[in-house]
């Protein structure tokens, strides 16, 4: 997928884009329709057009195609369903503190990493997977999750922290199979 | 800038998933502008989003979807409105916070909280949080207060200390509802920080409590 996105970005390769579309469009539609929209297909088309137009900005050294496309769909979902903004830093802001030397192990796009992440996601304890999924699909805030599960907010926070730690370890290839 | 206090894992993950309310997100995004380390962690959190998207049960798309998209590939999107002119000087406050304030520090319209402290409320599109900029004179305490829920405090200039440690430029304090604390600006300079809470701050001094309804805090 990453190679396809690079081909779209560097050559405007329509065949590569169609392959990306066939793979991601049904997943993005599912993701965008969790908000309950009848117009999920149109929103999905919008998301894929943004992928096409911005592909030249994609840098495979900074993450996988799936993560990059996810971020586009996420922002579109917030724009479509919520009245509030999602503030983001601006990489070209003169007040931004620039990156130092990139550590040599920043290489998240490799397919082994994606495989390890996929496995780790299936191995999360159910209570951790549940808060992660609610946050991802249902757009529920930490306090909304706490209220719905009738657990203290601190419990939701710690489940998210545990889930993040396990998945991060899997991404870095340092994860212990739990 | 040496940052010692970073975005907690749960906040960063909520931000990456897109489920963090706008108020908290202002503090998180502003810290991200100041902290390359947390930007690297954000990349990992977004990889998790990518992994969840990959694992999503696909939903059938309209048979005509691909043709519709292909027909639009050569469309030029409408040009975005030009960004506000970049100041000649390097701003102190990074985006996105600068956009909320309508400029850098000198654009802030301060309102007095008494005892030399002042604040500026920041409006957002949601009502689950309250966002304000606070200015505490050098060596002086923030009016003593407690909060029912979470409080994020991001230092923009100067520094403050409280029971849990010292916080300088870029540091983010993540305090929960059990805390009644009295942060104090360090003696060398005024401390300017962004404070986000999910419940109205309760200032303990009766003077401040008296003016709270007037100031809308
Ligand atoms: Zn940080
Ligand atoms: Zn406080």
């Amino acid at each position: 997928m990453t190679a396809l996105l690079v081909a779209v970005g560097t050559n405007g390769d329509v065949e590569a884009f169609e392959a990306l579309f066939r793979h991601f469009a049904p997943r993005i539609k599912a993701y965008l329709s969790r908000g309950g929209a009848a117009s999920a297909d149109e929103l999905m088309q919008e998301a894929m057009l943004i992928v096409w137009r911005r592909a030249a900005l994609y840098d495979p050294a900074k993450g996988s195609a799936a993560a990059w496309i996810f971020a586009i769909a996420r922002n579109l979902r917030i724009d479509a369903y919520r009245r509030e903004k999602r503030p983001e830093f601006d990489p070209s802001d003169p007040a931004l503190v620039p990156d130092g030397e990139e550590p040599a192990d920043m290489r998240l796009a490799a397919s082994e990493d994606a495989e390890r992440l996929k496995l780790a996601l299936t191995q999360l304890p159910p209570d951790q997977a549940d808060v992660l999924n609610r946050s991802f699909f249902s757009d529920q805030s930490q306090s909304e999750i706490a209220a719905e599960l009738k657990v203290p907010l601190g419990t939701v926070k710690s489940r998210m922290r545990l889930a993040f730690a396990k998945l991060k370890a899997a991404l870095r290839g340092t994860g212990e199979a739990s | 800038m040496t940052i010692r206090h970073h975005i907690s894992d749960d906040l960063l993950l909520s931000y990456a998933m897109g489920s963090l309310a706008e108020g908290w997100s202002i503090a998180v995004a502003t810290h991200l502008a100041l902290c390359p380390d947390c930007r690297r962690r954000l990349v990992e959190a977004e990889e998790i989003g990518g992994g969840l998207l990959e694992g999503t049960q696909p939903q059938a798309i309209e048979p005509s979807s691909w043709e519709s998209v292909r027909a639009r590939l050569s469309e030029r999107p409408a040009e975005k409105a030009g960004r506000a002119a970049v100041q000649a000087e390097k701003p102190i406050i990074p985006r996105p916070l600068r956009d909320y304030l309508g400029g850098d520090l000198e654009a802030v319209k301060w309102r007095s909280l008494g005892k030399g402290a002042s604040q500026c409320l920041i409006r957002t599109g949601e009502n689950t949080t309250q966002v304000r900029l606070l200015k505490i004179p050098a060596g002086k305490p923030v009016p003593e207060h407690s909060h029912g829920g979470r409080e994020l405090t991001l230092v923009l200039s100067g520094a403050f200390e409280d029971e849990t440690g010292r916080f300088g430029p870029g540091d983010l304090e993540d305090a929960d509802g059990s805390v009644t604390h009295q942060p104090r600006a360090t003696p060398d300079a005024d401390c300017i920080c962004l404070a986000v809470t999910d419940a109205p701050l309760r200032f303990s001094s009766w003077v401040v409590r008296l003016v709270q309804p007037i100031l809308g805090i």
Side-chain angles (χ1 to χ4, degrees):
Chain A
M1 290 304 140
T2 295
L4 291 173
L5 184 53
V6 170
V8 174
T10 49
N11 308 320
D13 183 334
V14 177
E15 265 176 50
F17 183 63
E18 182 172 3
L20 275 181
F21 185 93
R22 300 281 172 213
H23 179 78
F24 280 109
R27 290 174 169 81
I28 291 175
K29 183 175 176 183
Y31 173 68
L32 292 172
S33 64
R34 296 295 172 117
S39 57
D41 214 277
E42 274 168 45
L43 268 180
M44 171 278 287
Q45 294 182 30
E46 277 310 310
M48 290 308 297
L49 281 165
I50 296 173
V51 170
W52 168 259
R53 288 176 194 140
R54 292 200 197 144
L57 300 172
Y58 170 64
D59 175 0
K62 292 200 169 151
S64 69
W68 191 80
I69 292 172
F70 157 71
I72 286 173
R74 171 199 65 201
N75 291 354
L76 197 68
R77 182 160 113 161
I78 293 170
D79 280 351
Y81 297 121
R82 299 197 340 207
R83 304 192 52 185
E84 57 194 271
K85 288 191 274 186
R86 181 175 186 277
E88 288 191 281
F89 62 90
D90 170 5
S92 63
D93 179 7
L96 182 115
V97 175
D99 293 341
E101 286 295 297
E102 291 281 308
D105 62 355
M106 270 298 286
R107 198 187 42 82
L108 294 167
S111 56
E112 321 78 271
D113 297 346
E115 282 307 310
R116 280 198 308 270
L117 175 62
K118 193 171 152 192
L119 184 66
L121 279 168
T122 64
Q123 289 176 339
L124 277 185
D127 55 355
Q128 291 169 29
D130 183 40
V131 287
L132 185 61
N133 282 324
R134 284 168 184 271
S135 178
F136 177 81
F137 285 113
S138 314
D139 201 21
Q140 284 182 308
S141 70
Q142 295 177 5
S143 10
E144 285 165 346
I145 297 172
E148 203 160 289
L149 297 179
K150 299 190 172 64
V151 298
L153 181 60
T155 306
V156 175
K157 289 188 201 174
S158 73
R159 284 178 190 170
M160 290 195 78
R161 288 174 189 176
L162 288 167
F164 194 12
K166 279 184 194 142
L167 299 170
K168 205 157 42 176
L171 275 169
R172 291 173 180 170
T174 56
E176 78 291 19
S178 56
Chain B
M1 188 175 302
T2 311
I3 296 180
R4 283 182 215 81
H5 302 275
H6 296 276
I7 305 166
S8 63
D9 273 354
D10 66 284
L11 268 183
L12 191 65
L13 193 54
S14 292
Y15 178 77
M17 295 298 112
S19 57
L20 194 63
E22 182 179 355
W24 309 119
S25 298
I26 297 172
V28 167
T30 306
H31 178 92
L32 286 167
L34 298 171
C35 183
D37 289 341
C38 285
R39 291 204 294 273
R40 277 191 283 276
R41 294 168 58 225
L42 177 67
V43 170
E44 293 182 302
E46 289 182 340
E47 285 296 331
I48 293 170
L52 288 166
L53 182 65
E54 282 286 2
T56 301
Q57 183 65 43
Q59 188 171 326
I61 59 174
E62 302 294 334
S64 59
S65 290
W66 166 246
E67 286 308 321
S68 317
V69 166
R70 196 169 68 167
R72 295 178 60 194
L73 292 185
S74 53
E75 256 177 34
R76 296 272 109 221
E79 286 297 314
K80 276 196 180 164
R83 289 233 168 105
V86 179
Q87 297 95 323
E89 311 226 328
K90 189 178 158 176
I92 294 171
I93 298 185
R95 301 178 72 151
L97 180 54
R98 204 165 70 242
D99 294 341
Y100 279 90
L101 296 171
D104 204 19
L105 271 185
E106 74 277 350
V108 177
K109 292 179 189 66
W110 296 104
R111 298 176 80 171
S112 175
L113 273 174
K115 295 187 178 173
S118 37
Q119 72 165 353
C120 167
L121 294 174
I122 294 171
R123 296 172 70 92
T124 65
E126 47 97 2
N127 57 13
T128 65
T129 60
Q130 289 196 319
V131 186
R132 73 195 70 214
L133 218 55
L134 284 170
K135 180 160 69 176
I136 312 303
K140 292 288 179 358
V142 177
E144 191 184 337
H145 64 279
S146 58
H147 14 86
R150 191 171 216 165
E151 178 181 44
L152 290 182
T153 311
L154 175 70
V155 177
L156 297 161
S157 83
F160 73 82
E161 282 175 324
D162 68 9
E163 295 78 353
T164 65
R166 182 182 194 280
F167 298 82
D171 280 329
L172 185 69
E173 182 180 38
D174 187 349
D176 78 14
S178 59
V179 184
T180 297
H181 60 164
Q182 187 154 39
R184 180 179 283 274
T186 55
D188 43 311
D190 292 356
C191 178
I192 296 174
C193 53
L194 175 74
V196 187
T197 50
D198 59 1
L201 287 184
R202 287 186 297 273
F203 289 103
S204 312
S205 121
W206 68 270
V207 184
V208 176
R209 203 176 297 139
L210 206 63
V211 297
Q212 261 184 337
I214 305 165
L215 298 178
I217 55 179

